[in-house]
Amino acid sequence: MRGTTQEHLVPVGEEPNAIMIDQQHTTVSSTIVDIPRSGIREIMDVAQEVPGAILLSTGEPNFPTPPHVVDAAAAAARAGKTTYVANSGIPELREALAEKIRTRNGYGVTPRSIVVTNGGVEALFASFTALLDPGDGILLPDPGWPNFSMMARILRARIQPYPLAAANGFLPAVEDLERLCDEGTKVLLINSPSNPLGAVIDRERMRALAAFAERRGLWIISDECYDELDFEGGFVSAAAVADPERTVSIYTFSKTYAMTGWRVGYAAAPVRAAEQIAKLQEPIVSSVNTPAQYAALAALTGPQEVVATMRDAYRERRDEVCARLARAGIAASRPGGAFYVWVDVRASGMTSRQFTLDLLRTRAVALAPGSAFGAHGEGYARISLATEPTALYEGVDRLIAALRA
Ligand code: PLP
């Protein structure tokens, strides 16, 4: 009953002399309670009450997983590959991933640098955990994927948001990073192609970011989960230009192969960090679903046309959506990668939350409010292109009508 008073004690049961339970010591974690609810989730909840709503709010490919990938998982399961495996993943997959990184991402790694994870999200969480002590500073993009700041908060790291502004092509500016970085900063997180902006960091900018990180002795965590959804060929991996001994790169099968529910991602890190990330697999997930790892192997080593087909479809949708918005005189990003268009909704005179809720209730279109991605997202909304084109274009036309009204 450490340090409690009578007010914290509540009786259990009706009987006199009931056992007293110390409520203070049965509360849930205040760190977790204090993490705000996702603004995207709020929209999704309201959307459930709007029958037939066009959902342009989530980042989920609208393609099925390729059949040969599904078959590989079924074959693995039938062959009894259903046991726990190594924390880092099955050796065949780690070898194939090292080869993928060499040929498609342009830098050399050995399988010892690869850890297969439960989606890119767990690769990120394990990397954050491996690199950050409580109180360490982490430079996070704003607007940026909300999960980054949730993870930092879970770990009690110090979030140092850096702005991504239209005036800078929505790319990180080294001057901003220099201004924000201090003695306690440990990690620079970059995300290219970006969710929610679709911005792709070009080689020159990447070199400048790498030089900044080196000058200030920072780790780079480079979220490259959309690496293969690069529309103009401008994508460059951080580790291809930055110090590989201080760069952790994050990837996923979710977007490239339409495998969101399979939950397979991976981190590529210098061996000293990869070993710590692998160690963390044990208490977090032990190992990734074994048949899913064989599915991922088939995705990687099988025909790659599926990747090009999906990328071409997203590019075509981007062109059409951007053309419609431009014709209507509405400012929006022209994404170089990923599958999101970032639209300026300030003409509505509402906050982005109010605007997206209003759009959903009055015109049955769900967009993600910009403010869900950070303070600098206010005044914007995110359209997901990962939606069947007829519904996508109808949704965009309704958005245009709402902004004109
Ligand atoms: N990173 C970014 C920027 C994302 O948008 C996502 C998913 O939306 C992920 C990582 C992780 O995806 P997954 O855990 O499905 O691999």
Side-chain angles (χ1 to χ4, degrees):
M1 298 233 199
R2 292 154 291 157
T4 58
T5 61
Q6 274 310 106
E7 293 86 83
H8 297 127
L9 301 175
V10 289
V12 173
E14 303 299 327
E15 70 278 16
N17 301 326
I19 308 163
M20 303 296 264
I21 296 285
D22 182 344
Q23 216 175 33
Q24 197 174 45
H25 291 149
T26 53
T27 56
V28 293
S29 159
S30 60
T31 305
I32 307 307
V33 170
D34 290 346
I35 295 174
R37 203 159 166 267
S38 159
I40 309 172
R41 183 56 54 196
E42 182 187 18
I43 285 283
M44 297 308 294
D45 288 350
V46 177
Q48 292 200 329
E49 295 155 21
V50 182
I54 297 177
L55 303 179
L56 307 181
S57 42
T58 47
E60 174 111 29
N62 68 311
F63 295 98
T65 302
H68 68 277
V69 174
V70 178
D71 291 345
R78 283 202 195 90
K81 293 173 175 168
T82 52
T83 58
Y84 292 128
V85 292
N87 295 140
S88 301
I90 56 171
E92 308 93 294
L93 181 56
R94 292 169 72 209
E95 264 160 43
L97 288 170
E99 180 60 19
K100 175 263 177 186
I101 286 176
R102 267 194 298 278
T103 54
R104 299 192 218 162
N105 297 93
Y107 62 97
V109 285
T110 67
R112 287 180 66 212
S113 283
I114 310 276
V115 184
V116 179
T117 57
N118 202 36
V121 72
E122 198 249 322
L124 282 161
F125 188 66
S127 301
F128 277 36
T129 310
L131 302 185
L132 291 164
D133 284 315
D136 283 345
I138 177 166
L139 291 157
L140 290 181
D142 178 1
W145 193 43
N147 297 36
F148 299 142
S149 52
M150 293 176 85
M151 292 177 198
R153 290 182 74 146
I154 293 169
L155 297 168
R156 298 172 197 261
R158 184 166 51 95
I159 298 169
Q160 300 177 284
Y162 64 85
L164 297 175
N168 256 322
F170 295 113
L171 296 175
V174 171
E175 312 83 78
D176 290 327
L177 296 170
E178 286 284 8
R179 179 172 49 80
L180 293 161
C181 184
D182 59 35
E183 285 299 299
T185 308
K186 194 155 180 208
V187 174
L188 165 65
L189 186 136
I190 53 179
N191 174 213
S192 169
S194 148
N195 175 11
L197 304 165
V200 174
I201 300 175
D202 57 274
R203 186 170 291 270
E204 197 189 330
R205 183 72 59 121
M206 193 62 95
R207 283 215 175 95
L209 294 169
F212 158 75
E214 209 162 322
R215 213 164 39 243
R216 305 299 293 248
L218 305 181
W219 282 94
I220 293 179
I221 296 181
S222 184
D223 180 340
E224 304 181 5
C225 281
Y226 296 89
D227 62 339
E228 307 231 28
L229 296 178
D230 169 25
F231 301 140
E232 323 291 353
F235 168 76
V236 55
S237 283
V241 299
D243 178 358
E245 281 307 306
R246 274 195 300 217
T247 306
V248 177
S249 309
I250 309 293
Y251 303 96
T252 184
F253 285 81
S254 291
K255 318 289 175 174
T256 312
Y257 297 99
M259 289 178 67
T260 47
W262 296 78
R263 311 308 304 132
V264 189
Y266 50 107
V271 172
R272 68 193 167 108
E275 283 172 357
Q276 301 310 311
I277 295 168
K279 186 167 75 185
L280 281 162
Q281 294 294 88
E282 185 59 37
I284 302 177
V285 292
S286 294
S287 59
V288 172
N289 179 309
T290 307
Q293 293 198 49
Y294 284 96
L297 181 63
L300 207 57
T301 54
Q304 296 304 299
E305 292 82 54
V306 285
V307 179
T309 303
M310 288 191 274
R311 181 173 47 233
D312 291 348
Y314 296 134
R315 188 194 291 112
E316 205 175 304
R317 294 175 201 174
R318 175 207 61 180
D319 290 345
E320 182 58 31
V321 167
C322 288
R324 286 182 192 222
L325 292 168
R327 276 200 298 275
I330 294 166
S333 68
R334 184 179 171 77
F339 41 54
Y340 308 103
V341 175
W342 187 243
V343 194
D344 188 335
V345 298
R346 284 175 292 184
S348 66
M350 296 182 229
T351 65
S352 61
R353 177 176 174 270
Q354 285 166 341
F355 176 74
T356 49
L357 285 170
D358 186 69
L359 185 72
L360 181 53
R361 292 198 176 111
T362 59
R363 299 184 192 255
V365 179
L367 303 184
S371 53
F373 301 90
H376 286 92
E378 186 50 87
Y380 289 85
R382 189 194 70 176
I383 304 173
S384 170
L385 301 173
T387 310
E388 181 277 312
T390 315
L392 171 65
Y393 302 149
E394 171 62 26
V396 170
D397 287 346
R398 291 188 203 174
L399 163 68
I400 291 169
L403 283 172
R404 279 182 165 163

